[in-house]
Amino acid sequence: MISQGLVGFFDILGYQNIIDNNTIEEVSKIITEVLFSLPGAVMAEMKKGHCEPVWDKMKMKLKNLEATLISDSILVVLALDLKKSVWEKLFSVSLFERYIEGLMGATFREGLPVRGAIDFGDYFVEDRSFAGKPIINCYRLGQSLDFSGGVMTKECSAVMDSVLLACRKEDADACEVWEGFMGYDYLCPLRDQKWERHRVIDWSLWTGDEMKDVRGSVFKAFKDHNKDVGPDVIRKMENTEMMLRFFKSKWKVSGVKGK
């Protein structure tokens, strides 16, 4: 079925290295005990801090979210009807982004850091078959990133901004709390030593350790499961660390101390 909505596509950094450096038994354990359990782990994290009525509403919306593991990649989609009310759209957009934040935090925590992007547009997903320009856009943009993290395409950022703008017109005070969930503009390091400004998704509060030791957390995530740490990986680690420190500077501004 063809749908219109939000699309996220992420690949696991160093996945081939994991296969090279581990037995098939060890790799199968990572897949069955870690990767297959990710959707449930993310849902459990999202539930924390919400009363049952609120969580029930969130679950109803999240039933429409599809997360599919395809080898070393994760595809996440959520249909979004732009004709719905402002608050319905805002709720969907914020839930999708929080799920993506939780996914990136969970994979990082399990030593499987990812990189990727989210987009908006028409897509087709049926079992493990998929098609659509947003998926390709996410794949291409994600492959260009030289760090572990996620960014929004220009189209996705425009949709987020339009939803926020409509929200402000209806109730600026009520909308203010949602603005921090829409990412930050950041000069991103890309492959081949290039740089581009994108809106990055702040997943740092979902890592489970509040980033008390940023460098140590990054090293562990990139080294876990017997992954090699060569020059290219060191560069990605340093870029990831810098971005996480940028996120921590935003915590101080907003008064955030933890999850």
Side-chain angles (χ1 to χ4, degrees):
M1 178 179 176
I2 298 173
S3 303
Q4 183 180 72
L6 295 160
V7 171
F9 193 87
F10 298 84
D11 70 282
I12 300 169
L13 292 170
Y15 189 77
Q16 293 182 26
N17 199 220
I18 291 174
I19 294 175
D20 288 338
N21 295 350
N22 293 277
T23 65
I24 188 62
E25 290 80 12
E26 290 167 331
V27 174
S28 66
K29 189 174 181 180
I30 293 170
I31 294 172
T32 56
E33 296 185 8
V34 179
L35 293 178
F36 284 173
S37 67
L38 278 176
V42 175
M43 291 291 189
E45 285 295 314
M46 292 181 71
K47 183 180 179 180
K48 291 180 180 179
H50 294 98
C51 62
E52 284 302 322
V54 173
W55 176 240
D56 287 343
K57 184 179 179 182
M58 292 170 67
K59 279 197 301 184
M60 287 297 294
K61 180 62 66 176
L62 288 168
K63 283 182 180 179
N64 298 319
L65 184 145
E66 299 177 63
T68 306
L69 176 66
I70 308 157
S71 186
D72 64 341
S73 301
I74 304 168
L75 173 65
V76 185
V77 298
L78 177 65
L80 177 64
D81 187 351
L82 295 180
K83 295 178 182 178
K84 292 285 187 178
S85 70
V86 172
W87 300 106
E88 182 73 15
K89 288 186 291 187
L90 184 62
F91 189 61
S92 295
V93 165
S94 61
L95 269 185
F96 182 82
E97 178 149 342
R98 291 190 69 189
Y99 186 90
I100 295 299
E101 291 171 4
L103 179 68
M104 288 192 286
T107 51
F108 183 86
R109 190 166 61 240
E110 295 291 348
L112 301 167
V114 299
R115 66 177 174 187
I118 62 176
D119 196 11
F120 177 86
D122 297 329
Y123 62 86
F124 169 84
V125 177
E126 187 70 37
D127 293 328
R128 293 182 182 274
S129 297
F130 55 89
K133 289 183 179 179
I135 299 174
I136 299 302
N137 292 340
C138 289
Y139 171 77
R140 288 172 176 163
L141 182 53
Q143 288 292 302
S144 73
L145 304 180
D146 204 23
F147 59 92
S148 174
V151 302
M152 301 182 195
T153 66
K154 299 294 189 285
E155 174 68 23
C156 185
S157 295
V159 170
M160 298 283 193
D161 289 341
S162 67
V163 171
L164 277 174
L165 180 60
C167 174
R168 290 192 197 103
K169 289 180 179 178
E170 290 203 5
D171 190 336
D173 292 336
C175 185
E176 186 176 356
V177 71
W178 299 92
E179 298 194 20
F181 293 104
M182 299 303 172
Y184 303 111
D185 287 337
Y186 185 74
L187 186 60
C188 297
L190 307 182
R191 294 168 64 180
D192 300 323
Q193 298 184 353
K194 295 179 181 178
W195 297 79
E196 281 184 9
R197 190 168 293 279
H198 291 283
R199 187 174 297 183
V200 290
I201 302 163
D202 181 2
W203 49 275
S204 55
L205 287 175
W206 297 80
T207 60
D209 62 2
E210 298 184 17
M211 290 285 104
K212 293 175 182 176
D213 178 7
V214 177
R215 182 177 289 267
S217 295
V218 171
F219 179 81
K220 181 180 183 301
F222 276 83
K223 179 62 177 173
D224 265 1
H225 308 299
N226 299 317
K227 295 192 293 291
D228 296 324
V229 178
D232 289 347
V233 177
I234 290 173
R235 188 179 63 250
K236 287 183 177 66
M237 290 168 60
E238 291 174 343
N239 291 337
T240 303
E241 179 185 347
M242 289 300 295
M243 185 185 61
L244 288 169
R245 293 192 183 281
F246 167 76
F247 290 148
K248 287 193 73 170
S249 72
K250 293 297 183 180
W251 296 2
K252 295 177 182 178
V253 172
S254 63
V256 174
K257 295 181 181 179
K259 285 193 293 184

